Amino acid sequence: AQSVTQLDSHVSVSEGTPVLLRCNYSSSYSPSLFWYVQHPNKGLQLLLKYTSAATLVKGINGFEAEFKKSETSFHLTKPSAHMSDAAEYFCVVSERGAGSYQLTFGKGTKLSVIP
Amino acid sequence: DAGVIQSPRHEVTEMGQEVTLRCKPISGHNSLFWYRQTMMRGLELLIYFNNNVPIDDSGMPEDRFSAKMPNASFSTLKIQPSEPRDSAVYFCASSLGSGTETQYFGPGTRLLVL
């Protein structure tokens, strides 16, 4: 069985400082991993995804994540936070089961950016 | 492309009434997902379809919930009878595949059951 743990429910950073949103997963096989962002009153939008290619994945808006199999982590980072990054972020693991894929979402991390 | 379209955007109903949520996926996408989001439980996958066939409905809460996909361009999620604990935002998403492909989310339907 797979699971996703987002280690922080809320992260607060100052504008211009680095962002780190942490995600750990457990998976029986080789998973695909995603980060989605949800702005207030909006649907989710893909930031980036890992599907067994390069372990360092670059996404939109300057975000990137590194897949570390030994640590079972897929943390999301950005060098410099912008006010528009304030949103909720979801880490997702997808694993192929018996005849279908199983998708598991983390609980989400709400990012606040202080001017 | 118009993206994933959901209707209605907001629904207020009374306990015991039937509620039908609608979704039009992106043209050409062959997988469709229904999610429910609440403060208490976060984002939950209810059911997903591949090529109009339900593949995994293990997330559907109970028999009051049913979902159909009669063709590649339309899906419904029905709650009958509705209860106050069904109040949530319901999202529909579509993708080209089901496991490793990007999901594109609709704007959601905000349901309030009184």
Side-chain angles (χ1 to χ4, degrees):
Chain A
Q2 62 187 29
S3 66
V4 178
T5 303
Q6 291 185 241
L7 294 149
D8 306 293
S9 60
H10 193 186
V11 170
S12 185
V13 300
S14 296
E15 190 176 17
T17 64
V19 176
L20 170 64
L21 305 183
R22 298 182 293 167
C23 173
N24 284 100
Y25 70 93
S26 69
S27 173
S28 302
Y29 305 105
S30 297
S32 296
L33 293 155
F34 306 78
W35 276 99
Y36 283 84
V37 60
Q38 184 180 27
H39 288 94
N41 300 312
K42 300 282 188 185
L44 279 70
Q45 179 188 16
L46 181 74
L47 271 180
L48 49 80
K49 66 179 179 181
Y50 166 79
T51 56
S52 76
T55 56
L56 182 62
V57 182
K58 294 188 184 298
I60 61 171
N61 301 334
F63 284 94
E64 62 182 40
E66 186 170 8
F67 173 68
K68 291 188 176 180
K69 188 174 182 179
S70 60
E71 298 176 12
T72 60
S73 69
F74 191 57
H75 301 334
L76 182 69
T77 60
K78 182 173 179 177
S80 175
H82 191 272
M83 293 299 295
S84 60
D85 296 328
E88 190 155 19
Y89 293 79
F90 294 90
C91 182
V92 184
V93 61
S94 174
E95 183 182 271
R96 188 167 182 85
S100 69
Y101 281 93
Q102 185 177 9
L103 287 153
T104 304
F105 280 71
K107 297 281 187 198
T109 298
K110 183 168 277 190
L111 175 66
S112 298
V113 182
I114 303 164
Chain B
D1 199 318
V4 175
I5 299 172
Q6 290 187 248
S7 65
R9 293 293 310 278
H10 302 272
E11 177 82 27
V12 181
T13 190
E14 292 188 344
M15 183 174 65
Q17 297 297 307
E18 177 180 295
V19 175
T20 299
L21 311 181
R22 297 173 176 79
C23 176
K24 177 178 168 54
I26 292 172
S27 177
H29 283 188
N30 62 354
S31 290
L32 184 139
F33 307 78
W34 282 102
Y35 294 90
R36 177 173 69 177
Q37 186 176 38
T38 61
M39 290 291 291
M40 291 297 293
R41 300 172 70 92
L43 194 66
E44 304 171 278
L45 175 63
L46 300 177
I47 186 171
Y48 86 86
F49 295 85
N50 186 245
N51 293 323
N52 311 340
V53 175
I55 300 301
D56 183 359
D57 65 354
S58 58
M60 294 285 265
E62 49 198 274
D63 292 345
R64 296 185 297 107
F65 285 69
S66 62
K68 293 183 179 179
M69 192 164 187
N71 57 61
S73 58
F74 184 65
S75 176
T76 59
L77 178 67
K78 187 175 291 188
I79 309 172
Q80 166 64 18
S82 58
E83 296 182 4
R85 60 193 168 117
D86 301 330
S87 297
V89 181
Y90 291 81
F91 288 103
C92 175
S94 71
S95 71
L96 278 171
S98 54
T100 62
E101 300 298 325
T102 301
Q103 292 186 34
Y104 294 83
F105 283 74
T109 295
R110 190 171 295 271
L111 174 65
L112 178 61
V113 183
L114 301 173

